[in-house]
Amino acid sequence: MRNLTIKRRKRFVACLYKMRIYVEDPAAGELTINDVPCRKLGELKNGEEKTFQIDEQARRVYVIADKLSKNFCNEFYQLPEGQEDVFLSGQNCFNPASGNAFRFDNNDSAATASNRRKGSRIGLIVMIVALIAGGVAGFFIGRSLFTRTPKEKAFSSHGMSITLTDAFKEMEDMGFTATFSSKNVAVIALEEPFTTAAGAEELTVEQYADMVIANNGLNCTKKNYDEEPISFEYDFLNTEKNETYHYFSYAYKTETAFWLVQFSTLKQNADKHADEIAAWAKTVTFAN
């Protein structure tokens, strides 16, 4: 036997979620991830480091968020055969299409790159299907979204409230605190408590937004820090489908956490929805 130590660096991204650690095990598999039978080793909280015992065979180690998203929000590291103990580190990385998946450091093999592209592609398809499903449901409920004006509707989830319209539906957890979708716009919200990082409560909301931009390498097309809620915008290219999505991102600060609430739509529809998105962002409130 040998020791496998994994360190999850503390980050704002996906800080509320425990990451599940699995190891490839054809003999005692309890969960299949991307057609690989795996056995659970344990869980990692944000900023936590743990050591697990594994055998000396060449194995894949997987990190997933949950069973629902295991086939697109995942990362694997190929462990070589041997008796030497292994130390791995990594962090969750900002990427709406992959559910802010965990990424191991120095994990740049061709197989890993292919798995990441596949995960982003599947994750984006899940979001698109949810958008379409929301539109279809709205069609049957109201006969047609094109023959009536959607009515205002308030939503509350995990301490956040927002007023959208009845064209929206709350989605299943995809690695974010709260998610809502309509036919053309998706809303994804992430709460990042001050306990995630020492001194976080000292940051201004503008500094938090700048940190999100810098840490995730976002190429902003627009920033507006002159009025509340402060906001920034960026484009996300899905290389597999050759489609570009535009994100309107709003940052908030409560007594205990920062929140990032993002509105996503196809880039060609961004100008059309900009005004209503700005209005929705101003309705966001928090319980704490």
Side-chain angles (χ1 to χ4, degrees):
M1 301 295 287
R2 54 179 168 165
N3 291 326
L4 168 65
T5 301
I6 303 178
K7 177 179 178 60
R8 178 188 174 189
R9 282 194 298 279
K10 183 173 285 190
R11 293 200 70 193
F12 281 117
V13 176
C15 64
L16 293 180
Y17 295 90
K18 296 178 181 178
M19 294 294 110
R20 278 73 171 175
I21 314 300
Y22 284 81
V23 65
E24 180 180 357
D25 192 335
E30 59 191 71
L31 181 70
T32 300
I33 306 173
N34 288 349
D35 299 323
V36 177
C38 297
R39 171 175 54 86
K40 187 176 181 180
L41 293 177
E43 299 178 344
L44 277 180
K45 297 178 182 179
N46 196 26
E48 194 171 28
E49 177 180 318
K50 283 187 178 178
T51 298
F52 312 97
Q53 280 203 323
I54 60 172
D55 63 23
E56 300 169 359
Q57 301 299 313
R59 303 287 193 192
R60 284 189 175 188
V61 175
Y62 279 90
V63 181
I64 67 172
D66 52 45
K67 294 180 180 180
L68 181 66
S69 61
K70 63 184 175 66
N71 288 325
F72 69 88
C73 184
N74 72 62
E75 171 82 338
F76 77 83
Y77 190 96
Q78 181 64 59
L79 295 174
E81 182 180 1
Q83 299 179 350
E84 296 293 325
D85 291 342
V86 178
F87 176 82
L88 301 175
S89 61
Q91 62 189 24
N92 288 78
C93 295
F94 182 83
N95 184 343
S98 69
N100 295 334
F102 182 90
R103 298 301 187 220
F104 283 113
D105 298 330
N106 304 314
N107 193 26
D108 301 321
S109 69
T112 299
S114 176
N115 182 62
R116 290 176 179 177
R117 288 194 299 270
K118 177 183 176 182
S120 293
R121 183 173 67 251
I122 294 175
L124 191 58
I125 290 173
V126 170
M127 292 185 71
I128 292 172
V129 168
L131 288 172
I132 293 173
V136 171
F139 177 87
F140 285 108
I141 292 173
R143 293 189 179 180
S144 174
L145 292 177
F146 298 102
T147 59
R148 70 177 182 88
T149 300
K151 298 179 181 179
E152 285 190 354
K153 182 177 179 180
F155 293 86
S156 294
S157 181
H158 296 82
M160 184 197 83
S161 297
I162 184 172
T163 300
L164 300 166
T165 73
D166 58 3
F168 282 83
K169 302 294 179 183
E170 186 165 7
M171 295 166 56
E172 294 291 333
D173 169 40
M174 292 177 58
F176 300 95
T177 308
T179 315
F180 311 94
S181 72
S182 69
K183 183 179 180 181
N184 297 307
V185 179
V187 183
I188 51 179
L190 180 67
E191 180 186 17
E192 304 196 289
F194 297 150
T195 53
T196 304
E201 66 276 6
E202 303 297 331
L203 297 174
T204 66
V205 69
E206 291 83 2
Q207 289 172 326
Y208 166 71
D210 284 337
M211 183 181 296
V212 170
I213 293 168
N215 287 351
N216 296 289
L218 302 180
N219 184 16
C220 290
T221 58
K222 183 179 180 180
K223 291 171 67 174
N224 182 7
Y225 289 4
D226 295 331
E227 60 182 57
E228 294 184 353
I230 73 165
S231 64
F232 59 90
E233 301 175 26
Y234 66 94
D235 293 330
F236 176 80
L237 174 63
N238 173 18
T239 55
E240 296 290 335
K241 296 176 66 65
N242 196 32
E243 290 182 336
T244 300
Y245 290 79
H246 190 76
Y247 283 79
F248 298 85
S249 304
Y250 292 83
Y252 306 82
K253 184 178 182 179
T254 71
E255 294 181 359
T256 59
F258 287 106
W259 282 76
L260 185 66
V261 180
Q262 301 191 88
F263 301 81
S264 173
T265 187
L266 284 170
K267 185 175 181 179
Q268 59 263 34
N269 296 331
D271 289 342
K272 174 183 176 182
H273 296 295
D275 289 344
E276 60 185 351
I277 286 174
W280 292 334
K282 291 180 179 179
T283 71
V284 174
T285 58
F286 304 97
N288 55 350

